[in-house]
């Protein structure tokens, strides 16, 4: 996603390019990009100049969205998931003494991830500062 964020607005990037840049297997990226596409975070273009690109600008893509698309609900323990199916999985929730701890951990992690966007991870390409200009206001003399 950071690679796509860096390339935002320049057209689709091929998975081969991204795999080479990140030193990752292309097959692994193919698996990831399917989940990201299903979540509406990336779009794909077929053809010779095809590839993948962000569906939205990097500043509007929350990192929590990315993690949820790739990993599912954010929860340190099954009892802290906000998934409604949880009641079926764990029947101890109503009497669990540490559930409140796991819920707070989940909320802290979720808050950190949702408080950060892809733009926060994409390095800003700085332009070199212009060199200061000096003017000579007098002539040099030697004695």
């Amino acid at each position: 996603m950071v690679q796509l964020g860096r390339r935002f607005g320049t057209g689709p990037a091929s998975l081969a390019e991204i795999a080479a840049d990140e030193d990752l297997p292309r097959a692994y990226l193919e698996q990831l990009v399917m989940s990201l596409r299903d979540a509406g975070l990336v779009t794909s273009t077929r053809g010779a100049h095809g590839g993948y690109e962000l569906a939205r600008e990097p500043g509007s893509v929350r990192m929590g969205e990315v993690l949820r698309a790739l990993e599912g609900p954010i929860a340190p323990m099954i009892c802290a998931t906000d998934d409604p199916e949880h009641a079926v999985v764990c029947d101890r929730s109503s009497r669990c003494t540490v559930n409140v701890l796991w819920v707070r951990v989940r909320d802290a992690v979720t808050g950190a991830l949702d408080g950060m966007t892809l733009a926060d991870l994409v390095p800003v390409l700085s332009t070199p500062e212009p060199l200061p200009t000096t003017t000579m206001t007098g002539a040099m003399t030697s004695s």
Side-chain angles (χ1 to χ4, degrees):
M1 288 296 285
V2 171
Q3 285 288 336
L4 294 179
R6 284 185 185 129
R7 300 164 191 239
F8 183 72
T10 64
S14 76
L15 288 184
E17 292 170 346
I18 296 171
D21 288 347
E22 295 294 325
D23 195 27
L24 292 170
R26 182 179 171 171
Y28 175 66
L29 291 179
E30 287 172 353
Q31 292 174 359
L32 296 180
V33 80
M34 292 305 144
S35 297
L36 295 168
R37 191 182 65 196
D38 291 346
L41 296 172
V42 300
T43 59
S44 61
T45 305
R46 293 182 184 265
H49 299 288
Y52 293 88
E53 56 191 323
L54 292 178
R56 306 189 315 255
E57 66 179 42
S60 71
V61 178
R62 302 254 167 230
M63 294 314 299
E65 288 180 90
V66 175
L67 191 64
R68 285 181 195 93
L70 297 173
E71 301 292 333
I74 298 168
M77 299 290 287
I78 188 68
C79 65
T81 185
D82 52 8
D83 184 353
E85 293 292 314
H86 168 255
V88 175
V89 175
C90 181
D91 61 350
R92 295 178 34 110
S93 293
S94 62
R95 62 185 189 280
C96 181
T97 57
V98 294
N99 177 261
V100 68
L101 168 70
W102 296 123
V103 168
R104 286 186 184 178
V105 169
R106 178 203 65 205
D107 291 348
V109 170
T110 300
L113 290 168
D114 288 339
M116 192 167 217
T117 68
L118 184 57
D120 295 325
L121 299 179
V122 175
V124 177
L125 298 176
S126 60
T127 56
E129 292 184 31
L131 295 173
T133 56
T134 57
T135 58
M136 295 184 70
T137 57
M140 294 180 55
T141 59
S142 61
S143 15

